[in-house]
């Protein structure tokens, strides 16, 4: 059964974790070079593929004992928070410009760039963790996809304005704090049984 609460929590966590990511910057770069709707179509399709893979991985985790899964999820959320707080943000992706501006070339370039850049990324791992934590693949999937699409849309259409008004450091710290809170809940559930 679909849970709006779970979807909203997942949306918030994934949205905040993805904002400071290199793919938001790559979406911004593609959006300034090419037609925004073409870029979004490719990026959105790639994010959908990633969420489906993450949900499948998270669903497998639900077959394990609940306390063990909660402990692992808690540790992974703590690791995710540490990655957000201690990573260096100076690694930008180079984008190869397609030969023409057709829908298939532009959306294909966006799809391939995100598909490769996001494979095994923090938000994909977080989505798998959230799927295991809530055991609600539909709600988690909807929240994660919408969170990723929202960041891509912001990156493509208005990333420069957002980054001028909201410091990237603040966004990163808020996302890390949310992951620490989720880790605390998961570790408490693992300990309490």
């Amino acid at each position: 059964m679909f849970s709006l609460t779970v979807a909203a929590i997942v949306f918030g966590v994934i949205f905040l974790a993805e904002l400071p990511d290199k793919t938001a910057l790559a979406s911004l770069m593609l959006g300034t070079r090419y037609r925004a709707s073409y870029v979004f179509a490719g990026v959105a399709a790639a994010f959908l593929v990633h969420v489906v893979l993450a949900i499948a991985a998270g669903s497998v985790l639900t077959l394990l004992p609940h306390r063990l899964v909660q402990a692992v999820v808690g540790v992974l959320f703590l690791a995710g928070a540490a990655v957000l707080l201690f990573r260096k943000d100076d690694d930008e992706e180079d984008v190869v410009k397609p030969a023409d501006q057709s829908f298939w070339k532009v959306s294909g370039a966006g799809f391939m760039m995100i598909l490769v850049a996001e494979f095994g990324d923090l938000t994909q791992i977080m989505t798998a963790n959230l799927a295991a934590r809530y055991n609600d693949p539909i709600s988690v999937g909807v929240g994660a996809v919408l969170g990723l699409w929202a960041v891509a849309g912001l990156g493509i259409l208005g990333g420069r304005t957002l980054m001028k008004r909201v410091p990237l450091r603040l966004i990163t710290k808020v996302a890390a704090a949310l992951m620490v809170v989720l880790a605390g809940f998961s570790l408490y559930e693992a300990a309490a049984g």
Side-chain angles (χ1 to χ4, degrees), residues 121-163:
D121 191 60
L122 177 63
T123 51
Q124 190 177 33
I125 293 167
M126 286 173 52
T127 301
N129 288 342
L130 289 163
R133 173 168 175 57
Y134 290 111
N135 196 18
D136 186 354
I138 301 295
S139 302
V140 171
V142 167
V145 165
L146 292 178
L148 292 167
W149 287 358
V151 171
L154 282 175
I156 292 166
L157 298 176
R160 286 186 191 159
T161 304
L162 178 67
M163 294 304 175

Short mmCIF file of all heavy atoms in Angstrom, two decimals, residues 121-163:
data_model
loop_
_atom_site.label_atom_id
_atom_site.label_comp_id
_atom_site.label_asym_id
_atom_site.label_seq_id
_atom_site.Cartn_x
_atom_site.Cartn_y
_atom_site.Cartn_z
N ASP A 121 26.18 5.42 -6.77
CA ASP A 121 26.29 6.72 -6.11
C ASP A 121 25.59 6.68 -4.74
O ASP A 121 24.77 5.80 -4.46
CB ASP A 121 25.66 7.80 -7.00
CG ASP A 121 25.96 9.20 -6.52
OD1 ASP A 121 27.14 9.55 -6.47
OD2 ASP A 121 25.00 9.94 -6.21
N LEU A 122 25.89 7.66 -3.93
CA LEU A 122 25.34 7.74 -2.58
C LEU A 122 23.82 7.68 -2.57
O LEU A 122 23.23 6.97 -1.78
CB LEU A 122 25.83 9.02 -1.91
CG LEU A 122 25.29 9.31 -0.52
CD1 LEU A 122 25.73 8.23 0.46
CD2 LEU A 122 25.75 10.67 -0.05
N THR A 123 23.16 8.42 -3.47
CA THR A 123 21.70 8.43 -3.46
C THR A 123 21.12 7.09 -3.89
O THR A 123 20.04 6.71 -3.43
CB THR A 123 21.13 9.56 -4.32
OG1 THR A 123 21.72 9.51 -5.62
CG2 THR A 123 21.39 10.91 -3.69
N GLN A 124 21.81 6.36 -4.74
CA GLN A 124 21.33 5.03 -5.12
C GLN A 124 21.45 4.07 -3.92
O GLN A 124 20.54 3.30 -3.64
CB GLN A 124 22.11 4.50 -6.31
CG GLN A 124 21.50 3.23 -6.89
CD GLN A 124 22.23 2.73 -8.11
OE1 GLN A 124 23.44 2.88 -8.24
NE2 GLN A 124 21.49 2.13 -9.02
N ILE A 125 22.55 4.17 -3.20
CA ILE A 125 22.74 3.34 -2.01
C ILE A 125 21.72 3.73 -0.94
O ILE A 125 21.13 2.87 -0.28
CB ILE A 125 24.18 3.46 -1.50
CG1 ILE A 125 25.14 2.84 -2.53
CG2 ILE A 125 24.35 2.80 -0.13
CD1 ILE A 125 26.59 3.17 -2.31
N MET A 126 21.49 5.04 -0.78
CA MET A 126 20.50 5.50 0.19
C MET A 126 19.10 5.00 -0.17
O MET A 126 18.32 4.63 0.71
CB MET A 126 20.50 7.03 0.26
CG MET A 126 21.70 7.59 0.97
SD MET A 126 21.78 9.39 0.85
CE MET A 126 20.16 9.87 1.39
N THR A 127 18.77 5.00 -1.45
CA THR A 127 17.46 4.51 -1.88
C THR A 127 17.30 3.03 -1.53
O THR A 127 16.25 2.61 -1.04
CB THR A 127 17.26 4.74 -3.39
OG1 THR A 127 17.37 6.14 -3.66
CG2 THR A 127 15.91 4.24 -3.85
N ALA A 128 18.34 2.25 -1.74
CA ALA A 128 18.30 0.82 -1.36
C ALA A 128 18.12 0.69 0.15
O ALA A 128 17.34 -0.15 0.62
CB ALA A 128 19.56 0.11 -1.83
N ASN A 129 18.83 1.51 0.91
CA ASN A 129 18.70 1.49 2.38
C ASN A 129 17.28 1.85 2.81
O ASN A 129 16.71 1.21 3.70
CB ASN A 129 19.67 2.48 3.03
CG ASN A 129 21.10 2.03 2.96
OD1 ASN A 129 21.38 0.86 2.74
ND2 ASN A 129 22.01 2.96 3.14
N LEU A 130 16.72 2.87 2.20
CA LEU A 130 15.36 3.29 2.55
C LEU A 130 14.34 2.23 2.16
O LEU A 130 13.37 2.01 2.89
CB LEU A 130 15.04 4.63 1.89
CG LEU A 130 15.80 5.83 2.47
CD1 LEU A 130 15.74 7.02 1.52
CD2 LEU A 130 15.24 6.20 3.84
N ALA A 131 14.56 1.55 1.04
CA ALA A 131 13.66 0.47 0.65
C ALA A 131 13.72 -0.66 1.67
O ALA A 131 12.70 -1.26 2.01
CB ALA A 131 14.03 -0.04 -0.74
N ALA A 132 14.92 -0.95 2.17
CA ALA A 132 15.06 -1.99 3.19
C ALA A 132 14.46 -1.53 4.52
O ALA A 132 13.83 -2.31 5.22
CB ALA A 132 16.53 -2.35 3.38
N ARG A 133 14.64 -0.27 4.85
CA ARG A 133 14.15 0.25 6.14
C ARG A 133 12.63 0.24 6.20
O ARG A 133 12.03 -0.17 7.18
CB ARG A 133 14.67 1.66 6.36
CG ARG A 133 14.08 2.33 7.59
CD ARG A 133 14.79 3.58 7.97
NE ARG A 133 14.21 4.30 9.05
CZ ARG A 133 13.95 3.87 10.26
NH1 ARG A 133 14.18 2.62 10.57
NH2 ARG A 133 13.43 4.65 11.18
N TYR A 134 11.99 0.74 5.15
CA TYR A 134 10.54 0.90 5.18
C TYR A 134 9.77 -0.29 4.60
O TYR A 134 8.57 -0.39 4.79
CB TYR A 134 10.13 2.18 4.45
CG TYR A 134 10.54 3.41 5.21
CD1 TYR A 134 11.55 4.25 4.72
CD2 TYR A 134 9.96 3.75 6.42
CE1 TYR A 134 11.93 5.38 5.42
CE2 TYR A 134 10.35 4.86 7.13
CZ TYR A 134 11.33 5.68 6.62
OH TYR A 134 11.72 6.80 7.31
N ASN A 135 10.45 -1.17 3.87
CA ASN A 135 9.82 -2.34 3.26
C ASN A 135 8.56 -1.92 2.49
O ASN A 135 7.51 -2.55 2.58
CB ASN A 135 9.49 -3.40 4.32
CG ASN A 135 9.20 -4.75 3.69
OD1 ASN A 135 9.55 -4.99 2.54
ND2 ASN A 135 8.57 -5.62 4.44
N ASP A 136 8.68 -0.83 1.75
CA ASP A 136 7.59 -0.28 0.96
C ASP A 136 8.17 0.21 -0.37
O ASP A 136 8.41 1.40 -0.55
CB ASP A 136 6.93 0.87 1.74
CG ASP A 136 5.69 1.41 1.07
OD1 ASP A 136 5.37 1.00 -0.07
OD2 ASP A 136 5.03 2.28 1.68
N PRO A 137 8.43 -0.71 -1.30
CA PRO A 137 9.15 -0.34 -2.52
C PRO A 137 8.45 0.72 -3.37
O PRO A 137 9.13 1.57 -3.96
CB PRO A 137 9.29 -1.66 -3.28
CG PRO A 137 8.35 -2.61 -2.65
CD PRO A 137 8.09 -2.13 -1.27
N ILE A 138 7.14 0.71 -3.42
CA ILE A 138 6.43 1.69 -4.24
C ILE A 138 6.59 3.10 -3.67
O ILE A 138 6.95 4.03 -4.39
CB ILE A 138 4.92 1.33 -4.37
CG1 ILE A 138 4.74 -0.06 -4.98
CG2 ILE A 138 4.17 2.40 -5.15
CD1 ILE A 138 5.22 -0.17 -6.41
N SER A 139 6.34 3.25 -2.38
CA SER A 139 6.45 4.58 -1.74
C SER A 139 7.88 5.10 -1.81
O SER A 139 8.11 6.27 -2.12
CB SER A 139 5.98 4.52 -0.29
OG SER A 139 4.66 4.06 -0.22
N VAL A 140 8.84 4.23 -1.53
CA VAL A 140 10.25 4.63 -1.58
C VAL A 140 10.63 4.97 -3.02
O VAL A 140 11.30 5.98 -3.27
CB VAL A 140 11.17 3.52 -1.01
CG1 VAL A 140 12.63 3.84 -1.27
CG2 VAL A 140 10.92 3.36 0.48
N GLY A 141 10.20 4.16 -3.97
CA GLY A 141 10.52 4.41 -5.37
C GLY A 141 9.96 5.73 -5.86
O GLY A 141 10.65 6.51 -6.51
N VAL A 142 8.70 6.00 -5.53
CA VAL A 142 8.07 7.26 -5.96
C VAL A 142 8.79 8.45 -5.32
O VAL A 142 9.12 9.43 -6.00
CB VAL A 142 6.56 7.27 -5.60
CG1 VAL A 142 5.96 8.65 -5.74
CG2 VAL A 142 5.81 6.28 -6.48
N GLY A 143 9.06 8.36 -4.02
CA GLY A 143 9.76 9.46 -3.35
C GLY A 143 11.15 9.70 -3.92
O GLY A 143 11.56 10.85 -4.14
N ALA A 144 11.89 8.62 -4.16
CA ALA A 144 13.25 8.75 -4.69
C ALA A 144 13.26 9.31 -6.11
O ALA A 144 14.04 10.22 -6.43
CB ALA A 144 13.96 7.40 -4.64
N VAL A 145 12.39 8.78 -6.97
CA VAL A 145 12.34 9.27 -8.35
C VAL A 145 11.96 10.75 -8.38
O VAL A 145 12.59 11.55 -9.08
CB VAL A 145 11.35 8.43 -9.20
CG1 VAL A 145 11.01 9.12 -10.51
CG2 VAL A 145 11.94 7.06 -9.49
N LEU A 146 10.94 11.12 -7.61
CA LEU A 146 10.52 12.52 -7.60
C LEU A 146 11.61 13.43 -7.02
O LEU A 146 11.80 14.55 -7.52
CB LEU A 146 9.21 12.68 -6.83
CG LEU A 146 7.97 12.06 -7.49
CD1 LEU A 146 6.74 12.23 -6.60
CD2 LEU A 146 7.73 12.64 -8.88
N GLY A 147 12.32 12.95 -6.00
CA GLY A 147 13.42 13.74 -5.45
C GLY A 147 14.53 13.96 -6.47
O GLY A 147 15.04 15.08 -6.63
N LEU A 148 14.91 12.90 -7.17
CA LEU A 148 15.96 13.00 -8.18
C LEU A 148 15.51 13.86 -9.35
O LEU A 148 16.28 14.68 -9.87
CB LEU A 148 16.36 11.60 -8.66
CG LEU A 148 17.08 10.75 -7.62
CD1 LEU A 148 17.16 9.29 -8.07
CD2 LEU A 148 18.46 11.30 -7.32
N TRP A 149 14.27 13.69 -9.79
CA TRP A 149 13.75 14.51 -10.89
C TRP A 149 13.67 15.98 -10.50
O TRP A 149 13.95 16.86 -11.32
CB TRP A 149 12.39 14.01 -11.33
CG TRP A 149 12.42 12.72 -12.10
CD1 TRP A 149 13.52 11.99 -12.48
CD2 TRP A 149 11.29 12.01 -12.59
NE1 TRP A 149 13.13 10.87 -13.16
CE2 TRP A 149 11.78 10.85 -13.25
CE3 TRP A 149 9.93 12.21 -12.52
CZ2 TRP A 149 10.92 9.92 -13.85
CZ3 TRP A 149 9.08 11.30 -13.12
CH2 TRP A 149 9.58 10.17 -13.78
N ALA A 150 13.31 16.25 -9.25
CA ALA A 150 13.23 17.64 -8.80
C ALA A 150 14.61 18.30 -8.83
O ALA A 150 14.75 19.44 -9.28
CB ALA A 150 12.64 17.72 -7.40
N VAL A 151 15.62 17.57 -8.37
CA VAL A 151 16.98 18.11 -8.40
C VAL A 151 17.44 18.32 -9.84
O VAL A 151 18.04 19.35 -10.17
CB VAL A 151 17.97 17.21 -7.64
CG1 VAL A 151 19.40 17.64 -7.86
CG2 VAL A 151 17.63 17.22 -6.16
N ALA A 152 17.14 17.36 -10.71
CA ALA A 152 17.52 17.51 -12.12
C ALA A 152 16.83 18.72 -12.73
O ALA A 152 17.47 19.51 -13.44
CB ALA A 152 17.17 16.24 -12.90
N GLY A 153 15.54 18.87 -12.44
CA GLY A 153 14.82 20.03 -12.97
C GLY A 153 15.38 21.34 -12.46
O GLY A 153 15.56 22.29 -13.23
N LEU A 154 15.69 21.37 -11.17
CA LEU A 154 16.32 22.59 -10.62
C LEU A 154 17.68 22.84 -11.26
O LEU A 154 18.02 23.98 -11.58
CB LEU A 154 16.49 22.46 -9.11
CG LEU A 154 15.26 22.69 -8.27
CD1 LEU A 154 15.56 22.40 -6.80
CD2 LEU A 154 14.76 24.12 -8.42
N GLY A 155 18.44 21.77 -11.42
CA GLY A 155 19.76 21.92 -12.04
C GLY A 155 19.68 22.43 -13.45
O GLY A 155 20.46 23.29 -13.87
N ILE A 156 18.72 21.90 -14.19
CA ILE A 156 18.59 22.29 -15.60
C ILE A 156 18.04 23.70 -15.73
O ILE A 156 18.55 24.51 -16.50
CB ILE A 156 17.68 21.28 -16.34
CG1 ILE A 156 18.40 19.93 -16.44
CG2 ILE A 156 17.32 21.78 -17.73
CD1 ILE A 156 17.51 18.77 -16.85
N LEU A 157 17.03 24.03 -14.95
CA LEU A 157 16.34 25.31 -15.14
C LEU A 157 16.82 26.45 -14.24
O LEU A 157 16.77 27.60 -14.62
CB LEU A 157 14.83 25.13 -14.95
CG LEU A 157 14.17 24.19 -15.94
CD1 LEU A 157 12.70 24.01 -15.59
CD2 LEU A 157 14.32 24.70 -17.36
N GLY A 158 17.24 26.13 -13.04
CA GLY A 158 17.55 27.24 -12.15
C GLY A 158 18.67 27.00 -11.17
O GLY A 158 18.68 27.60 -10.10
N GLY A 159 19.58 26.12 -11.50
CA GLY A 159 20.65 25.77 -10.58
C GLY A 159 21.53 26.93 -10.17
O GLY A 159 21.91 27.06 -9.01
N ARG A 160 21.83 27.77 -11.10
CA ARG A 160 22.71 28.91 -10.77
C ARG A 160 22.08 29.82 -9.73
O ARG A 160 22.74 30.26 -8.79
CB ARG A 160 22.99 29.71 -12.04
CG ARG A 160 23.95 29.03 -12.96
CD ARG A 160 24.28 29.93 -14.11
NE ARG A 160 25.01 29.16 -15.12
CZ ARG A 160 25.11 29.52 -16.36
NH1 ARG A 160 24.52 30.61 -16.79
NH2 ARG A 160 25.80 28.79 -17.21
N THR A 161 20.80 30.09 -9.86
CA THR A 161 20.10 30.96 -8.91
C THR A 161 20.07 30.34 -7.53
O THR A 161 20.32 31.01 -6.53
CB THR A 161 18.66 31.23 -9.41
OG1 THR A 161 18.74 31.77 -10.71
CG2 THR A 161 17.96 32.20 -8.49
N LEU A 162 19.75 29.03 -7.45
CA LEU A 162 19.70 28.35 -6.16
C LEU A 162 21.05 28.39 -5.46
O LEU A 162 21.13 28.68 -4.28
CB LEU A 162 19.25 26.89 -6.35
CG LEU A 162 19.19 26.06 -5.07
CD1 LEU A 162 18.09 26.58 -4.16
CD2 LEU A 162 18.98 24.60 -5.40
N MET A 163 22.10 28.10 -6.19
CA MET A 163 23.43 28.06 -5.59
C MET A 163 23.89 29.45 -5.15
O MET A 163 24.69 29.58 -4.23
CB MET A 163 24.46 27.46 -6.54
CG MET A 163 24.22 26.00 -6.83
SD MET A 163 24.16 25.01 -5.33
CE MET A 163 23.74 23.44 -5.99
#
